[in-house]
Amino acid sequence: MQPAPVRALVVDDEPVLAGTVASYLDRAGFQTRMVADGREAVEVARGWAPEVVVLDLGLPGLDGVEVCRQIRTFSDCYVLMLTARADEVDLLVGLSVGADDYMTKPFSARELVARVQVLLRRPRAGGLVQGSARRIFGDLVIDPDAREVELGGVLVDLTRTEFDVLDALSSQPRFAYSRRQLVDAVWGPDWVGDDRLVDVHVAHVRRKLADDPASPRYICTVRGVGYRMGTGR
């Protein structure tokens, strides 16, 4: 039997752009639906359960940030955010609600399809085999097999991307990862984009772990290099 096609929801109020993106995804073997309104996007995502959502930031009804925030309450699908505004504030706000990647308009529909395919190929649990041991850093416990993180015995709600970043760092706790090495470990070597994406997701993980960047216990900044795990003390 052939595997079921991956469901991709395209959310954009520009019909020509949405149609072009959906057409390219169709040709790449995806099953696509198009929605032009933020509120409708949330309802379709809830009922249709797409594996990927291509989501424009500027939407009528609800903007893309609020749509992503609401989708994250019931779905762990990949979210690729589209924005016509390239300033860093939009990027940070969009990713703070759980977007996995972003693209700035104008863009090539062919490149967008390639970025979606890279997301779907992303390694899980740092490429570890089943049966890997839980990792303990003070009060922080990371379980790669269960994809769970506990802090002081309480489960921490991380997105898939946030977990993957923490998993990669904790898999080699004494290794100082560059941003590019984290991109390769989490998004895959085929990913092309701005590696500030790493800083954004590290900031989100730190916030959820109540980890002060000025005196970190769990994720340390290595000047001129990138990041490594702390001891938890």
Side-chain angles (χ1 to χ4, degrees):
M1 293 179 60
Q2 291 291 326
V6 174
R7 294 182 299 279
L9 177 62
V10 179
V11 186
D12 199 306
D13 63 339
E14 298 179 44
V16 174
L17 177 61
T20 300
V21 169
S23 175
Y24 270 78
L25 287 167
D26 283 338
R27 277 184 271 171
F30 291 81
Q31 181 183 355
T32 61
R33 289 183 65 173
M34 293 188 298
V35 173
D37 175 86
R39 289 191 174 85
E40 185 182 358
V42 174
E43 293 309 309
V44 171
R46 191 187 304 274
W48 192 49
E51 286 99 332
V52 179
V53 177
V54 178
L55 177 61
D56 187 40
L57 185 62
L59 292 169
L62 296 175
D63 66 19
V65 170
E66 184 57 28
V67 171
C68 187
R69 193 190 312 276
Q70 292 192 24
I71 287 175
R72 277 288 174 254
T73 65
F74 59 83
S75 174
D76 202 23
C77 63
Y78 290 108
V79 176
L80 174 61
M81 188 80 79
L82 306 178
T83 176
R85 303 187 294 274
D87 61 279
E88 191 174 29
V89 173
D90 281 336
L91 169 61
L92 295 175
V93 170
L95 292 173
S96 71
V97 293
D100 296 285
D101 197 358
Y102 78 99
M103 294 185 73
T104 303
K105 298 178 180 178
F107 56 82
S108 157
R110 191 184 304 275
E111 180 190 353
L112 183 144
V113 172
R115 292 277 278 269
V116 169
Q117 290 170 330
V118 166
L119 281 175
L120 291 168
R121 289 198 303 269
R122 272 173 43 183
R124 285 292 171 223
L128 296 171
V129 298
Q130 292 295 310
S132 51
R134 302 202 318 168
R135 305 163 191 160
I136 301 174
F137 304 86
D139 292 337
L140 179 67
V141 179
I142 302 166
D143 187 334
D145 291 344
R147 293 185 61 81
E148 289 183 347
V149 174
E150 293 183 7
L151 183 62
V154 178
L155 283 174
V156 181
D157 184 20
L158 299 180
T159 68
R160 286 198 280 192
T161 299
E162 290 163 358
F163 180 89
D164 289 345
V165 168
L166 186 59
D167 179 56
L169 288 168
S170 65
S171 67
Q172 298 187 72
R174 298 303 303 163
F175 183 76
Y177 282 84
S178 69
R179 289 172 179 82
R180 184 66 242 182
Q181 286 169 324
L182 278 173
V183 165
D184 289 349
V186 175
W187 287 268
D190 296 330
W191 187 86
V192 177
D194 190 338
D195 61 15
R196 288 182 304 167
L197 195 68
V198 170
D199 299 332
V200 173
H201 286 293
V202 166
H204 297 161
V205 175
R206 281 174 163 166
R207 175 174 53 81
K208 292 184 178 181
L209 299 181
D211 196 22
D212 182 1
S215 183
R217 299 172 60 197
Y218 306 117
I219 301 180
C220 300
T221 300
V222 181
R223 288 181 180 273
V225 180
Y227 302 99
R228 66 168 173 81
M229 280 302 290
T231 63
R233 300 185 182 90

